[in-house]
């Protein structure tokens, strides 16, 4: 028997080490090259706001195939050569398999297992669909007290637990993203002390709602998370309010969350994609515009996905958060 967060950590480590996750799901950078490009330009503008430190660390957590950063660096190289020359690339990735794919596209990067291992100094960090893969705990309100969910033989076993510090009605599940909150605490303290900004894009409600959001995807279809552990991608909604509160308690400021559709529109993603589409054969042009639609429309990824930034207190509103 294992606590749910231990199960999820083990299942995802096995999953990402052994499988091609993109057979099971797709992500924004794989849908549109403009996604990585506008995030690269976001980082370039924030770098100017920071006073253009040289050197500066540009990091990504959970870079997948390296697509986002590859697109970002191409855009940065064209629009902000000073930033391109100043930046040192650091990637946080636990999967040896994905590291190999990343190395093929980003040979100059330095890899780390954890964000805390990225060297000191001013930092710009990007992370898309990283937090949703981090382990969560689930508590259930029972008879005026609380239990915590453990996993045994493909099912849940509830053991008595201390109150998680949240409220719920009898029988309701509440989730605690302890691993994500630890990331917010450590990064919040670091950014407040050494400067920079971190941009997280992920899916989840702006305000925490009770309920079980644990899900598994295998072959692009939902699977039973407890049975398919290690063979499917396990994710949970990100609790942006708790994540932001943890960063603030550590001394950082937060901006957002802003729905992804609005955020990308403010960064000019639709116009970039339209410019790319002009001069392309009709099929390619249509595919580019379809990518924009998927990333920005409310009923696709535009509303459930959110952007949240951490930065030192006192910075002006960063791009996309004005
Ligand atoms: N950002 C990419 C990939 C998202 S999938 C994209 O948008 O396509 C999640 C990524 O986070 C994968 O690269 C996975 O290997 C990595 N990952 C998952 N858990 C991690 C952990 N605990 N520490 C470091 N990387 C992790």
């Amino acid at each position: 028997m294992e606590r749910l967060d231990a199960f999820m950590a083990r299942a995802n480590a096995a999953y990402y080490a052994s499988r091609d996750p993109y057979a099971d799901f797709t992500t924004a950078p794989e849908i549109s090259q403009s996604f990585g490009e506008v995030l690269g330009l976001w980082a370039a503008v924030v770098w100017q706001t920071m006073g253009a430190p040289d050197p500066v660390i540009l990091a990504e957590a959970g870079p997948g195939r390296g697509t986002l950063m590859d697109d970002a660096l191409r855009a940065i190289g064209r629009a902000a050569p000073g930033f391109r020359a100043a930046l040192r690339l650091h990637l946080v990735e636990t999967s040896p398999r994905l590291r190999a794919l990343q190395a093929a596209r980003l040979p100059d990067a330095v890899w780390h297992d954890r964000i805390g291992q990225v060297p000191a100094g001013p930092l710009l960090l990007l992370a898309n669909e990283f937090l949703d893969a981090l382990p969560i705990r689930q508590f259930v309100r029972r008879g005026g007290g609380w239990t915590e969910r453990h996993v045994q033989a493909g099912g849940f076993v509830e053991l008595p637990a201390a109150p998680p510090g949240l409220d719920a009605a009898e029988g309701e599940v509440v989730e605690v993203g302890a691993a994500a909150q630890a990331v917010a605490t450590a990064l919040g303290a670091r950014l407040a002390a050494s400067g920079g900004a971190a941009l997280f894009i992920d899916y989840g409600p702006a305000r925490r709602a009770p309920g079980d959001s644990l899900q598994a995807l295998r072959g692009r279809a939902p699977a039973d998370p407890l049975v398919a552990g290690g063979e499917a991608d396990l994710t949970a909604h990100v609790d942006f309010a708790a994540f932001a509160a943890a960063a603030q308690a550590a001394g950082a400021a937060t901006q957002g969350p802003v729905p992804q559709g609005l955020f990308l529109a403010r960064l000019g993603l639709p116009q970039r994609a339209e410019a790319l589409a002009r001069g392309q054969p009709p099929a390619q042009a249509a595919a580019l515009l379809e990518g924009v639609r998927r990333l920005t429309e409310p009923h696709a990824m535009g509303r459930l996905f959110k952007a949240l930034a951490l930065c030192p207190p006192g910075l002006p509103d960063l791009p996309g958060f004005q």
Side-chain angles (χ1 to χ4, degrees):
M1 181 162 46
E2 242 174 333
R3 219 166 72 182
L4 176 60
D5 55 336
F7 171 84
M8 194 173 167
R10 210 168 45 78
N12 268 348
Y15 171 75
Y16 283 109
S18 66
R19 310 231 159 197
D20 171 13
Y22 295 95
D24 295 314
F25 60 83
T26 192
T27 55
E30 304 294 332
I31 291 171
S32 169
Q33 70 175 74
S34 304
F35 185 80
E37 291 170 353
V38 296
L39 296 198
L41 299 176
W42 182 92
V45 171
V46 179
W47 177 69
Q48 289 290 351
T49 308
M50 291 160 65
D54 181 0
V56 62
I57 293 172
L58 176 63
E60 185 181 357
R65 286 175 170 157
T67 307
L68 188 164
M69 191 55 82
D70 198 20
D71 293 336
L73 290 177
R74 188 180 56 250
I76 293 167
R78 285 190 196 140
F83 178 42
R84 183 69 189 87
L87 70 86
R88 305 289 179 269
L89 188 59
H90 289 259
L91 302 177
V92 179
E93 175 62 66
T94 40
S95 160
R97 205 166 179 281
L98 290 175
R99 277 191 185 196
L101 293 181
Q102 293 155 17
R105 297 174 88 166
L106 306 163
D108 298 336
V110 178
W111 279 264
H112 308 278
D113 282 327
R114 291 188 302 280
I115 293 177
Q117 294 167 333
V118 175
L123 168 72
L124 287 157
L125 180 122
L126 304 174
N128 182 61
E129 290 210 54
F130 169 70
L131 298 175
D132 66 358
L134 299 184
I136 57 154
R137 299 172 68 177
Q138 287 184 338
F139 298 87
V140 191
R141 191 92 165 113
R142 295 279 183 213
W146 291 91
T147 61
E148 180 163 12
R149 281 178 153 182
H150 292 62
V151 180
Q152 186 174 40
F156 282 125
V157 175
E158 293 179 23
L159 297 183
L166 302 162
D167 218 9
E170 178 65 21
E172 252 177 0
V173 173
V174 295
E175 298 182 333
V176 176
Q181 286 170 36
V183 166
T185 301
L187 260 181
R190 176 191 172 135
L191 293 170
S194 323
L199 177 65
F200 289 91
I201 300 185
D202 227 305
Y203 73 114
R207 275 169 210 287
R208 185 190 72 88
D212 178 353
S213 76
L214 183 66
Q215 67 166 34
L217 278 183
R218 183 165 53 187
R220 297 179 190 255
D224 180 335
L226 303 190
V227 173
E231 296 169 17
D233 174 52
L234 298 192
T235 60
H237 282 182
V238 173
D239 183 344
F240 283 101
F243 186 81
Q248 289 162 10
T254 60
Q255 298 189 17
V258 170
Q260 172 172 290
L262 182 58
F263 183 72
L264 295 178
R266 287 172 172 169
L267 297 186
L269 178 132
Q271 291 79 353
R272 277 190 82 84
E274 279 156 24
L276 266 178
R278 279 196 286 277
Q280 296 284 331
Q284 271 98 317
L288 287 166
L289 300 181
E290 167 64 8
V292 174
R293 194 195 65 72
R294 286 178 68 186
L295 296 186
T296 57
E297 282 195 357
H299 296 290
M301 296 165 75
R303 183 159 51 207
L304 181 57
F305 282 74
K306 312 275 190 310
L308 177 81
L310 314 187
C311 61
L315 279 198
D317 287 345
L318 301 175
F321 296 102
Q322 289 107 343

